[in-house]
């Protein structure tokens, strides 16, 4: 094609040259984006074109490329004078630069720039002239292609370049040389990036000759490019001999040459060699390089030589790092000397000295903190050098000084005086020089990271000093009472430099993080002033939302007037209204302040606590007290004319709703503080739903709507309906289908908006169903009398629980089809690339094929709540289908494409599908989407999506048909559990783990129900097959569980992982490892305790899924884990509460012991051995030990009792086990803790009352004497607390039970023990009055017990009492005293009722 163009131009006229150049430009741009391998066959023709282009062979004009400065290193700007481009008047300076097309950009040069994305770093004015653009494109493409060209062609091109330069003369030679060097630099850069070599010796020689020749060129930019090329060549070749040869050549030249050009060029060559090869690669040349450059730097006859030598020296210091440490002192000495001797007019020399000083500070590094004499001298020299440069008149030298001080502060912060540095930086913020402002802000950014408070304080002190009439410095500072923060906010409106604005954002961010919580009012006022600044000029806030809103606006205007009045003294300063970018940043700051307050203290979100804290300390500043301002700021931003600010305002509004939704209003119990702002929220949201609003704003507003409705704040049905109507209007837009007539924005934007609407409806529906479910589970409130209703003020304002679902219900037929269509789209879009052929050719319900990549992102943001909502809806309807005609009508409303897509994805038509098929399709869709996501959730996925997906799975598994489906296909259940196990490996939060256990529990429950049904069916078929029915379950006759196919194995894998994660000491391999640190026992956090408890509960149920043989396979592991959990979590608590894991472990033990497995003859022997060994383990764990001082004896004793009561005497009646159990009871009875004694008596009572006397008799014989002895001892030490009293009472109950169990002939002896013990607890009349409450309680308990026992055993009781007269008299005395006390109490009650019969208040007819 390219070869025919000249003939076309010749035939049709020269006017086609521009078009031909544009074709070449487009071709070069496209080829630069493609892999070079794709057009490898055309390299010869292409390279010929490229070389012709930039060597100006067919171009009579001396056009030069604009890329040379960008290909040279940024640090070399001081040599090229390109620092002039880093100014506020950059566009003018660009046009004054020689050999540059900079500053001449315009849109007419290339119309495509109107719609093409601007490359990063490219100037905004537009594309450069076509001739320059073509050469730039050819140079860039040459750099891409060169690494892939053969060595022979490389040599030919390099020789050709040398020939072109030789043939050209004068100005044209300069232009050709500039273009060629730019191309060579581009090629060398491409080689370095591709890690390719330059080629054999001939290629190197040719390249070296080309480069070395330019080092003596009179044009500084060519010398600079030659030095850069030399460094790049050394990097690409990477051979020590080649580097040594080049370095030696420059050494010789510098020693012999006396002209400025050679000295500058070769000194830069040394610096570039070190820069690209590094300190290690050029270490052997370091000493020579430094000595030569130090000598050149002292050449006072030529300041240009000094500049280039010092610049090269700075490059060497930077690249050598620690290797330069030995040369620091002489270099530093020279820098100081030159700073003092070189005239200030030679600013370039001073700039290079500043760079050298900065590099030296970096080399010494953290050593600068030391206190040795050497380090102190170096530090002092650095500070002196900085001070000299700070006093220089040139702004670039001052910027270098600030940069050096910044480096010093990084390594030795204690030695940098902030009280003098910060005021200096504040003054420079008002400088007219961009580089100085940039340096000042960069330094402030670093200071604010560590000492934000000090920085702000010094800035304010400077402002006060400047405002002092006695101060004669006359500094014109723009610092008001808003401080440095206010100045920085103001700079954001004036500055256009991206780097500077980024640093200002970071500085304000660091200040905000450190100071916002302490100075809340100050920062909120700052944000408010920025956000409210355009109210006077613009009519952003024109919505009338009632009288309250008007009053709020009036207050806001008063605040604004009061604030602006403070700054009216100085009329000379022009005020710039904050631009939208600054206001967006202020809105973001508002969101950050809310987050900072949340992490600082919860009292920021508690109005009652905040008010009481404010009363105690008026200086306390708490966020909840500023809620009106927060709402007002969010409202102003959300209703602005700037779309970006509206987005930020809606985000702030959403954050406010989320954080303050649950904050109660102390003055009106049952209400929340956000209720009074319902009108404001509604008014802020309404404009976002207008027809001409961009899709991203409507999408965000939908999110805020769902958050607002779901927060439960709205108490008025009309307000709820208003916000609900906004979502209804959006839903109408969604139903319009893909081909909407009013297509203002791209198809991708429409997809985003529609999915956001569906997501919002999904969230609202989930909340509505949750409220409905909670209301159904709550007990009905009793009907109140009129008086009670009057007392319960405010109840009338509370919405009925079904009001939200009533509003959502009419839209559900439409919504469920749209939700399912969105999920089908998402399922197809998540398919791997190899299944791309399965995607519909005309797109999905909400996306077009052209926007498929961007649509994926929108679906990724919305699918989780939609999945949850569909699961809730299907569960609530029992997967029932609606009328098919209604389905199709709804689909047709959304357009024909959507109607087709809404049909189930199968070859059969909907009419031929049974309800069962459709249900299965839906189950597969929901399970498929869930499992695909949980297999590998992307790190950027929010944790809310994981939670929503797990919640959806739990909801689905609550439905009978889904449970049956999963139970029938066991591999599906196994896959689900394996996926959940993998999820636990990647996601840590306990909340996620708790939801996972919920899904596991539902899966196990489904399998249990299905197995029970199978067993029942087998028994029904044939009653004689009862044993065979029992054998059903995993494990069969062999007991083997196959990994990958066994549901029980998959569940155990997952559950063991959770247990070991929270209780690592259960893993014996880790505990026995020699590298393992000794474990310190500590209580589990509340969430972990709940998680362990849930896990243990599921573990205990797993044997029910197995056959008897299968159960015997897993029971040893399960019992080991459950007893391990009991051992590790059974610790005493202050309130004697049983931790959830302990109660779950006890329940698990009971579940296993009482399971039907005990009755299976085949496994009875194994079962017995297993239960005995488990009891032995519990006995071992409960052994008193100094290493377990906090062991909960009660829980251990409860576990032992469960074995005794449930396992049967033949299993646990073994002598060794029996003795161990008795010892534990004996230890508990002897415990010093009365609570342990009381619980021991209770548990012992349950053992004694066991129906099997063979079990209880040994315990009676062994423990009854100790019980009697303990109860007898109470007479000597009466109880002093209610717990001790409880212990005695429980002990007496045990003794009473023994009496009842005794045979008739032994009744008198047993009763004598009980009666004498009880009578010993009775107090005489004198002691009773002064006795403590616990002793009185014991007296009354004993008396009542005696009165009750007498009638039970009358003859035995008389015998006992008659045998001991002193007992009889003591009992009679106690009875008489009790009767007298009862009569006195009755008389007192009678007198009280008589007195109260008369009115207590007598009304008088006369009030005077």
């Amino acid at each position: 094609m390219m070869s025919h163009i000249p003939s076309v131009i010749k035939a049709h006229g020269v006017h086609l040259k521009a078009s031909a150049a544009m074709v070449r430009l487009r071709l070069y741009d496209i080829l630069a984006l493609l892999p070079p391998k794709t057009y490898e066959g055309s390299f010869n023709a292409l390279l010929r074109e490229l070389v012709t282009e930039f060597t100006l062979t067919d171009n009579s004009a001396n056009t030069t490329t604009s890329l040379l400065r960008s290909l040279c290193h940024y640090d070399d700007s001081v040599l090229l004078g390109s620092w002039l481009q880093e100014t506020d008047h950059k566009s003018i300076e660009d046009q004054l630069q020689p050999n540059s097309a900079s500053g001449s950009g315009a849109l007419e040069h290339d119309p495509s720039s109107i719609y093409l994305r601007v490359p990063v770093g490219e100037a905004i004015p537009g594309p450069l002239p076509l001739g320059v653009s073509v050469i730039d494109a050819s140079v860039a493409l040459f750099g891409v292609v060169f690494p892939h060209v053969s060595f022979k062609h490389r040599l030919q091109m390099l020789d050709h370049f040398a020939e072109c330069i030789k043939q050209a003369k004068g100005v044209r030679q300069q232009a050709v040389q500039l273009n060629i060097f730019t191309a060579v630099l581009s090629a060398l850069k491409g080689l370095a990036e591709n890690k390719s070599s330059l080629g054999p010796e001939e290629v190197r020689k040719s390249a070296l000759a080309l480069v070395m020749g330019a080092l003596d060129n009179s044009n500084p930019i060519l010398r600079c490019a030659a030095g850069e090329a030399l460094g790049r060549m050394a990097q690409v070749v990477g051979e020590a001999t080649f580097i040594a040869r080049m370095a030696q050549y420059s050494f010789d030249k510098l020693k012999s040459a006396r002209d400025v050009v050679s000295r500058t060029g070769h000194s830069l060559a040394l610096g570039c060699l070190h820069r690209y090869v590094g300190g290690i690669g050029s270490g052997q040349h370091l000493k020579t390089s430094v000595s030569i450059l130090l000598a050149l730097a002292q050449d006072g006859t030529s300041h240009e030589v000094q500049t280039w030598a010092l610049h090269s020296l700075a490059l060497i210091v930077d690249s050598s790092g620690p290797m330069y440490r030995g040369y620091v002192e002489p270099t530093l000495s020279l820098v100081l000397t030159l700073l003092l001797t070189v005239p200030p007019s030679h600013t370039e020399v001073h700039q290079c000295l500043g760079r050298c000083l900065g590099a030296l500070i970096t080399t010494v590094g953290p050593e600068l903190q030391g206190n040795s004499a050497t380090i102190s001298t170096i530090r002092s020299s650095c500070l002196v050098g900085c001070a000299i440069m700070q006093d220089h008149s040139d702004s670039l030298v001052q910027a270098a000084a600030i940069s050096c001080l910044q480096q010093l502060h990084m390594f030795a912060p204690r030695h940098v005086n902030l009280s003098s540095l910060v005021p200096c930086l504040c003054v420079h913020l008002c400088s007219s020089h961009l580089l100085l402002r940039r340096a000042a802000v960069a330094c402030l950014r670093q200071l604010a990271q560590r000492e934000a408070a000090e920085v702000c304080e010094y800035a304010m002190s400077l402002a006060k000093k400047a405002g002092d009439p006695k101060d004669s410095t006359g500094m014109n500072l723009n610092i008001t009472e808003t401080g440095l923060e206010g100045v920085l906010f103001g700079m954001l409106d004036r500055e256009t430099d991206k780097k500077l604005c980024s640093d200002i954002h970071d500085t304000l961010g660091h200040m905000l993080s450190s100071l916002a919580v302490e100075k809340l009012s100050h920062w909120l006022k700052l944000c408010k002033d920025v956000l409210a600044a355009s109210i006077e000029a613009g009519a952003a806030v024109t919505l009338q939302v009632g009288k309250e809103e008007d009053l709020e606006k009036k207050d806001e205007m008063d605040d604004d007037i009061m604030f602006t009045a403070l700054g009216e003294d100085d009329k000379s300063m022009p005020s710039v209204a904050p631009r939208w970018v600054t206001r967006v940043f202020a809105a973001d700051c508002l969101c950050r302040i809310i987050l900072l307050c949340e992490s600082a203290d919860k009292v920021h979100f508690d109005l009652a606590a905040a008010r009481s804290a404010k009363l105690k300390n008026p200086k306390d500043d708490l966020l909840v007290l500023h809620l009106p301002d927060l709402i007002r700021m969010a409202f102003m931003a959300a209703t602005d004319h700037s779309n970006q600010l509206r987005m930020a305002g809606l985000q702030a509004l959403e954050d406010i709703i989320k954080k303050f939704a649950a904050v109660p209003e102390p003055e009106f119990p049952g209400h929340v503080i956000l209720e009074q702002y319902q009108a404001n929220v509604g008014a802020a949201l309404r404009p976002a739903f207008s027809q001409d609003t961009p899709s991203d704003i409507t999408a965000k507003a939908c999110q805020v709507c769902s958050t607002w409705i779901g927060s439960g704040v709205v108490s008025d049905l009309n307000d709820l309906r208003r916000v609900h109507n906004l979502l209804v209007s959006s839903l109408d837009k969604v139903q319009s289908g893909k081909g909407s007539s009013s297509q203002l924005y791209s198809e991708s934007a429409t997809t985003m908006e529609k999915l956001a609407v569906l997501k919002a409806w999904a969230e609202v529906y989930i909340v509505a169903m949750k409220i409905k479910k909670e209301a159904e589970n709550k007990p009905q409130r009793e009907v109140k009398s009129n008086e009670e209703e009057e007392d319960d003020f405010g109840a009338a304002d509370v919405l009925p629980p079904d009001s939200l679902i009533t509003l959502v219900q009419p839209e559900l037929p439409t919504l469920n089809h749209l939700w399912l269509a969105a999920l089908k789209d998402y399922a197809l879009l998540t398919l791997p690339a190899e299944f791309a052929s399965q995607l519909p050719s005309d797109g999905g319900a909400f996306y077009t094929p052209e926007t498929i990549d961007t649509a994926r992102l929108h679906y990724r943001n919305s699918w989780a709540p939609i999945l949850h909502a569909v699961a809730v809806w299907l569960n609530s309807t029992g997967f029932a289908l609606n009328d098919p005609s209604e389905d199709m009508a709804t689909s047709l409303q959304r357009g024909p494409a959507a109607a087709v897509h809404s049909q189930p994805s199968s070859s059969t038509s909907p009419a031929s599908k049974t309800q069962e098929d459709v249900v299965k399709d839906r189950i597969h869709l929901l399970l498929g989407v869930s499992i695909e996501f949980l297999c590998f959730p992307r790190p950027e996925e929010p944790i809310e999506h994981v939670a929503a997906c797990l919640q959806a799975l739990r909801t689905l598994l609550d439905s009978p048909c889904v449970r049956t489906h999963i139970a029938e296909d066991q591999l599906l259940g196994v896959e689900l559990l394996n996926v959940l196990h993998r999820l636990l490996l990647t996601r840590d939060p306990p909340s996620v783990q708790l939801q996972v256990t919920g899904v596991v529990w539902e899966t196990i429950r489904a399998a249990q129900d299905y197995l029970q049904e199978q067993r029942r069916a087998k028994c029904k078929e044939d009653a004689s097959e009862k044993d065979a029915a029992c054998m059903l379950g995993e494990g069969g006759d062999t007991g083997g569980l196959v990994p990958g196919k066994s549901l029980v194995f998959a569940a155990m894998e997952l559950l063991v992982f959770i247990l070991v994660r929270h209780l690592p000491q259960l893993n014996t391999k880790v505990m026995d490892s020699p590298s393992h640190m000794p474990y310190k026992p500590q209580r589990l956090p509340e969430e972990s305790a709940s998680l362990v408890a849930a896990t243990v509960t599921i573990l205990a149920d797993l044997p029910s899924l197995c056959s008897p043989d299968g159960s015997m396979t897993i029971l040893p592991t399960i019992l080991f884990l459950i007893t391990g959990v009991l051992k590790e979590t059974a610790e005493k608590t202050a309130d004697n509460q049983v931790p959830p894991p302990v109660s779950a472990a006890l329940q698990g033990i009971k579940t296993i012991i009482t399971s039907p497995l005990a009755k299976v003859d085949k496994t009875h022997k194994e079962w017995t051995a297993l239960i005995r060994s488990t009891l032995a383990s519990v006995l071992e764990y409960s052994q008193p030990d100094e290493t377990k001082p906090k062991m909960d004896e009660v829980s251990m004793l409860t576990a032992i009792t469960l074995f005794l009561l449930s396992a049967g005497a033949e299993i646990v009646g073994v002598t060794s086990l029996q003795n161990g159990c008795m010892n534990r009871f004996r230890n508990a009875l002897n415990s010093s803790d009365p609570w342990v004694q009381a619980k021991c008596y209770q548990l012992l009572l349950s053992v004694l009352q066991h129906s099997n006397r063979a079990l209880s008799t040994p315990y009676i014989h062994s423990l009854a004497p100790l019980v009697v002895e303990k109860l007898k001892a109470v007479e000597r030490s009466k109880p002093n607390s209610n717990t001790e009293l409880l212990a005695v009472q429980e002990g007496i109950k045990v003794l009473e039970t023994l009496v009842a169990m005794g045979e008739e002939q032994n009744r008198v002896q047993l009763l004598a023990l009980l009666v004498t013990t009880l009578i010993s607890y009775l107090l005489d009349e004198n002691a009773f009055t002064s006795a403590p409450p616990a002793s009185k309680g014991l007296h009354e308990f004993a008396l009542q017990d005696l009165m009750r026992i007498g009638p039970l055993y009358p003859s035995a009781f008389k015998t006992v009492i008659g045998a001991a007269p002193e007992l009889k008299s003591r009992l009679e005395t106690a009875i008489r005293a009790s009767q007298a006390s009862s009569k006195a109490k009755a008389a007192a009650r009678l007198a009280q009722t008589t007195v109260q019969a008369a009115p207590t208040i007598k009304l008088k007819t006369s009030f005077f």
Side-chain angles (χ1 to χ4, degrees), residues 112 200 344 443 715 766 785 843 908 1100 1142 1147:
S112 67
C443 189
S715 60
I766 291 163
S785 65
T908 56
V1142 175
Q1147 186 59 47

Side-chain angles (χ1 to χ4, degrees), residues 920 923-924 927 956-977 999-1014 1033-1034 1045-1048 1105:
K920 278 194 174 181
I923 291 173
H924 287 145
L927 286 177
L956 277 176
L957 287 165
D958 201 33
S959 171
C961 55
V962 178
R963 288 152 68 108
T964 307
H965 181 77
I966 278 204
E968 285 174 349
D969 185 359
Q970 186 163 313
L971 286 179
L972 183 59
V974 172
E975 185 182 356
L976 177 60
L977 294 184
V999 177
V1000 175
W1001 165 236
E1002 293 289 352
T1003 311
I1004 298 301
R1005 206 156 62 101
Q1008 281 177 333
D1009 294 347
Y1010 183 68
L1011 186 60
Q1012 288 296 333
E1013 194 62 39
Q1014 279 188 312
E1034 288 196 28
K1045 292 183 179 178
S1046 164
L1047 188 72
V1048 173
L1105 290 177

Side-chain angles (χ1 to χ4, degrees), residues 1304-1364:
E1304 193 62 43
Q1305 63 268 27
N1306 301 327
R1307 185 69 50 76
V1308 174
Q1309 291 92 323
L1310 290 170
L1311 198 61
L1313 285 173
L1314 176 61
V1315 171
T1316 52
T1317 305
L1318 285 171
I1319 291 176
S1320 70
Y1321 297 162
L1322 298 174
L1323 302 168
D1324 58 29
E1325 286 183 72
N1326 300 327
F1328 186 82
T1329 51
S1330 60
S1335 297
K1336 288 181 182 177
L1338 182 60
H1339 169 91
E1340 288 169 1
F1341 168 76
L1343 187 59
Q1344 287 170 7
D1345 228 22
L1346 285 164
M1347 306 270 288
R1348 188 171 51 78
I1349 290 166
L1352 281 175
Y1353 315 107
S1355 59
F1357 190 76
K1358 282 179 184 174
T1359 309
V1360 172
I1361 291 293

Side-chain angles (χ1 to χ4, degrees), residues 918-962:
V918 177
V919 166
K920 278 194 174 181
D921 279 352
R922 289 179 173 179
I923 291 173
H924 287 145
L925 173 66
L926 298 180
L927 286 177
V929 167
S930 304
I931 290 177
E932 189 278 333
F933 169 72
L934 294 173
C935 268
F936 186 67
R938 285 168 289 275
E940 66 272 12
E941 288 281 357
I943 202 73
E944 291 80 14
H945 281 191
V946 179
C949 187
L950 291 170
Q951 197 61 48
L953 278 173
R954 284 192 73 172
T955 310
L956 277 176
L957 287 165
D958 201 33
S959 171
C961 55
V962 178

Side-chain angles (χ1 to χ4, degrees), residues 1028-1049:
C1030 292
M1031 295 302 290
L1032 286 176
E1034 288 196 28
D1037 295 333
T1038 60
L1041 302 176
V1042 183
K1045 292 183 179 178
S1046 164
L1047 188 72
V1048 173
F1049 184 85

Side-chain angles (χ1 to χ4, degrees), residues 904-921:
S905 53
S906 173
S907 57
T908 56
S909 64
S912 65
K913 278 206 167 191
T914 63
Q915 177 164 341
E916 189 180 342
D917 290 337
V918 177
V919 166
K920 278 194 174 181
D921 279 352

Side-chain angles (χ1 to χ4, degrees), residues 636-655:
M636 286 188 290
T639 53
D640 196 78
H641 53 78
S642 162
N643 290 336
Q644 288 87 343
L645 186 54
R646 289 170 76 180
M647 282 290 285
L650 289 168
Q651 181 60 56
L653 191 60
E654 186 182 4
D655 286 354

